[in-house]
Amino acid sequence: VARTPSVRAHVHAWLAQRGETLAAAAGLAALLGGQRVETVITDSHELFRCMPASAITYTQFASNIAHPELFQLTTRATLGTVDAFISHSWHDPP
């Protein structure tokens, strides 16, 4: 049930209305991933990374092939200190 887009959207909206963005995101992740909200929040703090915009190139986004070496360009970051989020969909055709 939680995997349908309408249910996800409803749950996300319900959580977001409570004014706790991180908790909303963690709650949704826990719901979809079967993990406890507290675990998702802890993991988020420990695993959050960033990469400076100056290190991003067109080539990195030109295909839907994973580039594990990009991890070397990232550094640990504190939640709330990153200015932007760019997502690359691995499911779209190149």
Side-chain angles (χ1 to χ4, degrees):
V1 172
R3 296 187 187 271
T4 63
S6 61
V7 172
R8 281 195 306 265
H10 178 70
V11 170
H12 184 262
W14 179 82
L15 290 169
Q17 288 175 351
R18 272 107 191 113
E20 299 179 20
T21 305
L22 178 59
L28 188 57
L31 180 65
L32 297 176
Q35 295 186 27
R36 297 181 63 227
V37 171
E38 296 80 11
T39 301
V40 174
I41 291 174
T42 298
D43 289 351
S44 298
H45 283 283
E46 292 175 4
L47 300 173
F48 190 64
R49 300 184 70 82
C50 69
M51 184 168 126
S54 60
I56 300 171
T57 67
Y58 173 81
T59 306
Q60 296 160 348
F61 286 88
S63 73
N64 61 354
I65 298 170
H67 298 283
E69 68 277 4
L70 294 179
F71 183 82
Q72 300 303 316
L73 300 175
T74 67
T75 58
R76 289 194 67 183
T78 303
L79 293 174
T81 63
V82 175
D83 295 324
F85 176 79
I86 299 173
S87 177
H88 180 283
S89 175
W90 300 100
H91 303 288
D92 293 340

